[in-house]
Amino acid sequence: MSEDNAPFYITTAISYPNGRPHIGHAYEAIATDVMARFQRARGRDVRLVTGTDEHGLKMFQTARDQGRATIDLADEMSGYFREMYAKLNISYDVFTRTSDAAHHAASQALWKAMEANGDLYLDRYEGWYSVRDEAFYDESELTDGEGGVRLSPQGTPVEWTVEESWFFRLSNYQDRLLALYKEQPDFIRPESRRNEVLRFVEGGLKDLSVSRTSFDWGVPVPGSPGHVMYVWVDALTTYLSGLGYPDPDSDFGKFWPANIHMIGKDIVRFHTVYWPAFLMSANLPLPKQVFGHGFLLNRGEKMSKSLGNVVDPMVLADQFGVDALRYYLLREVSFGQDGSYSAEAIVRTANADLANSFGNLAQRSLSMIFKNLDGVLSNDWSPTDDDISLIADILDMARVRLPREFEQLAFSVGIEDWIRAVFACNQYVDTQAPWALRKTDPERMRAVLMTLFQAVRTLAIAIRPVVPAAADKLLDQMGIAEDTRDFAALADMGWFEKLVASGFAVGQPVPIFPRLELPEGEEEGEA
């Protein structure tokens, strides 16, 4: 089976739901969804797995402080993530909760596999632990904060922890991990993340504490009463349990290993050091790539509750529309790097690209066909070199250039090529002036409008993974069947002839991208 039609498995990070989802969660979910939709449009059988990582001390303490059962907090918070995914049109296949019984079974199966390999032993843990990060840190990684508080590399407070613990022999995997990074340089992307991990592993690995006894909110360690698994052991296992591991007849047998784990840059170490070591220990194939994307900054500032600049993605979706938000985040942020956003920047980009450029192109093209040709499509016209050149360029963008960039997760580069193709179509309209041809050369007007119809259809299919609802609304108006909106359809050179033969007629078009207004109270400025 070639790579082009092999099954494709992609995951988001498994979100920690001790609070409502923020724009960072939305950004990651949207990017992952666009990749999944893109691969489906390429003809691949895709699984997108996401979910919530509900165990660990942080969830336990939050629920305790609220005077409620931890599972009640988990139920509520996990529900908010489901709501966000529904709102943002995230086409996930599986939403896994680490509190699910099937996930417990998968985590225990992985534990037993690592134990059978001789990589787990019981000892006593003494060291620095960050409750907020659910992570252990070495003394050399810490800095001093105000009031003598010790801080992790993420700036979170750490506390000295002493308890009996199971340990994983991470130190045994240093050489194998370094060999992995060397032999598969794309295992960690972008390169800046790879370099950080390389330096960390080259500095030496210590065995990892992988169980806790100070609380019981977690997956029980098999055969070791009183111990629950370190939250990252069972959180990472979600990528397996979401496919039905350890059942070989489940999706796990077809889709593992993952093609891409899409995660934030702050959890790269867990996914590129601990996770591959666990999988090596369990004799399971490794994921092909871990991509650590950057942070979203609000007007250039990192979001925090203390600054009061944390934005609810549900509010943004209501204010600007889901597709406009999806488009902005992938168009304006170079994926892998930190990016900035603001209300005015979203409005500016959505109006310039979607409403004024593509939306206007589609609206006036279909309107002229409706008004001047009674909506009738025709094959009875002779294309000029200008027509042929435009269609060839649009098709090359949609079939070659944009897919090449999306395959590499270079979404902004692919979208830039798409908007250049939109600009070329608008330039073609202005140059050909079909409204003038209506009086002077109606046959030439017909040729121009048929060329535009074909171009708009190709543009809509190309950008559909990014703005699925709007693209489908447009393609519905163009009579394009739901099963002919993928990349295979772009290779069908007879599609237009078939549509004409079907007798389809263009009706009065409905705009797909309304112009946005800046919400009241927002000041005009730069993002």
Side-chain angles (χ1 to χ4, degrees), residues 280-293:
M280 288 174 183
S281 175
N283 293 308
L284 291 172
L286 305 187
K288 297 177 183 177
Q289 185 174 112
V290 177
F291 194 100
H293 62 77

Side-chain angles (χ1 to χ4, degrees), residues 25-47:
H25 295 117
Y27 175 52
E28 180 174 286
I30 289 168
T32 307
D33 178 65
V34 169
M35 192 60 174
R37 288 178 182 273
F38 168 72
Q39 293 295 346
R40 291 191 195 105
R42 299 277 270 176
R44 300 176 75 170
D45 193 359
V46 172
R47 288 293 180 276

Side-chain angles (χ1 to χ4, degrees), residues 243-244 246-254:
L243 292 177
D247 180 2
D249 296 324
S250 64
D251 275 352
F252 174 74
K254 179 178 180 180

